[in-house]
Amino acid sequence: MAHTRTAIIAGNWKMNYGLKQAREFVQEILPALEQVVASYPHILSILCPPAISLETVHAILSEKPVPHIELGAQNMYFEEKGAFTGEISPLMVRELCSTVILGHSERRTYFGESDEQVNKKTLAALIHGLRPIVCIGENLEQYEMGETGEVIHTQIKGSLANLPTQQAQEIVIAYEPIWAIGTGKAATGEGAGKVVHLIRHLYGEMYGSEAAASLRILYGGSVTSGNISEFIAHPDIDGALVGGASIKADFVEIARKMVETMTQVVG
Ligand code: 13P
C-alpha cells in the first residue's frame, strides 16, 4: 500500500456481541490492539459493533483514548430525525462514532438497499462529519459470468454520485466480493488488487486524480491473519474490513501482520 494513505483495519462485528460480550471482548483485545496501532504511524483501527453495543464500547475507548482506534456503526438512515421506526440517524451515530459502514452486501441482499439509498446515506454521512465506508462487490454468479467490472461500475456510479468535490477524498470504499464473505474463500491479493485498481480508476473519472489518489480502498471477504499480508502488500489496497475474524483475538493478529507487511513494503 502506498504509505501516503493511512491504512485502515476495520472490524464489522455484524449481529454479534450485546452489551456484556462487547465489553468483555473489547477489554480482552484492547491492550494488544493499542500496542499494534501505536507501533506504526499510518494506521487506524475502527471497531464496528452492533448499534446497541456502541455506547458500551465507546465508554471503554473513552477511558484512555487511543488516537488510532475509533468506533463505527454498521448502518444508519439518511434522515436526521422523525417517524422512522427502528432506524438510527446520522446525528445519533455522530454522538458516538467517527465512521459508518454503508451499503454492506448483507444490507443490500437481505434488506433491499439500493445504490440510490446508499448514495443518500453517504451524502448524509458527509454532511454530518462521519466517515462513510461504502461497500461494493459482485456476487458469485456475476463473478463467474465475468461481470465484476460492470457491477462495480454501476455500484460506484450509483452509490457515490454527487459527492461534494472537496469531500470526495474522505470516502472509504470496501471492495467485498459477496462470494468471499463468510465463505472462507478469500479472493487472491492479485485478483482483489485488480478490482481495487479499477475502483480507483473509476473514482478518478468521477472526482479527479487527486481524490482518487487519496481514496482509501479496503478489501473484505474471509480476511484472516493468514492472508492479510497478501492484500496489504498490493499497492492499491489500503486495509481490510474484517467480518468473522473481527470478533476473535485474531483481529489483533491481523492488525499486527498488516503493520509487519507495511513496514517491510514501505521500509
Ligand atoms: P468475513 O470476514 O466474515 O468474510 O466478512 C466480511 C465482511 O462482510 C466484512 O464486512
Side-chain angles (χ1 to χ4, degrees):
M1 80 125 226
H3 72 284
T4 47
R5 295 188 292 264
T6 297
I8 294 179
I9 174 71
N12 174 8
W13 297 11
K14 307 194 178 182
M15 200 169 70
N16 295 289
Y17 293 173
L19 302 186
K20 183 168 180 287
Q21 285 177 308
R23 187 183 319 114
E24 285 170 2
F25 176 64
V26 171
Q27 280 167 344
E28 179 196 326
I29 63 161
L30 200 55
L33 188 61
E34 280 177 11
Q35 271 193 347
V36 175
V37 296
S39 71
Y40 191 77
H42 310 292
I43 189 168
L44 173 64
S45 184
I46 307 170
L47 307 179
C48 307
I52 199 123
S53 302
L54 282 171
E55 197 184 349
T56 300
V57 178
H58 182 264
I60 298 171
L61 295 181
S62 310
E63 275 167 23
K64 188 178 122 228
V66 179
H68 302 295
I69 301 180
E70 296 183 7
L71 199 54
Q74 297 174 15
N75 179 37
M76 66 171 203
Y77 197 49
F78 51 81
E79 295 285 358
E80 291 182 7
K81 63 180 174 139
F84 303 102
T85 301
E87 295 295 318
I88 54 173
S89 88
L91 293 174
M92 297 168 187
V93 173
R94 190 67 196 98
E95 288 187 79
L96 297 172
C97 301
S98 64
T99 301
V100 60
I101 298 172
L102 296 173
H104 190 280
S105 65
E106 285 147 21
R107 298 230 40 99
R108 292 177 187 259
T109 305
Y110 304 134
F111 305 99
E113 276 190 24
S114 63
D115 282 330
E116 195 186 343
Q117 281 168 316
V118 177
N119 186 229
K120 284 185 177 163
K121 292 179 176 197
T122 305
L123 294 171
L126 290 176
I127 286 170
H128 293 286
L130 286 159
R131 174 194 301 115
I133 300 182
V134 179
C135 303
I136 54 174
E138 80 284 6
N139 65 28
L140 182 62
E141 193 188 335
Q142 293 161 335
Y143 174 67
E144 285 176 344
M145 299 288 283
E147 293 170 0
T148 302
E150 251 168 80
V151 172
I152 293 296
H153 190 269
T154 307
Q155 288 179 334
I156 292 208
K157 300 273 160 162
S159 300
L160 298 174
N162 304 319
L163 304 181
T165 324
Q166 68 281 17
Q167 283 184 294
Q169 51 205 53
E170 287 161 33
I171 296 279
V172 177
I173 295 178
Y175 168 56
E176 301 206 312
I178 297 172
W179 48 268
I181 295 178
T183 59
K185 290 186 202 144
T188 59
E190 197 192 341
K194 268 193 197 147
V195 181
V196 166
H197 189 75
L198 170 70
I199 293 171
R200 201 175 293 289
H201 172 76
L202 292 170
Y203 202 75
E205 282 182 357
M206 292 168 83
Y207 297 109
S209 51
E210 211 177 302
S214 339
L215 174 73
R216 259 89 55 86
I217 310 178
L218 316 181
Y219 167 76
S222 297
V223 170
T224 65
S225 56
N227 60 23
I228 183 67
S229 303
E230 204 186 318
F231 297 109
I232 199 66
H234 192 284
D236 270 307
I237 301 180
D238 303 308
L241 180 55
V242 184
S246 76
I247 53 168
K248 299 181 191 144
D250 196 40
F251 186 64
V252 179
E253 210 38 49
I254 295 173
R256 202 192 312 279
K257 281 271 164 61
M258 221 168 104
V259 167
E260 199 181 284
T261 310
M262 288 189 296
T263 311
Q264 284 162 5
V265 172
V266 175

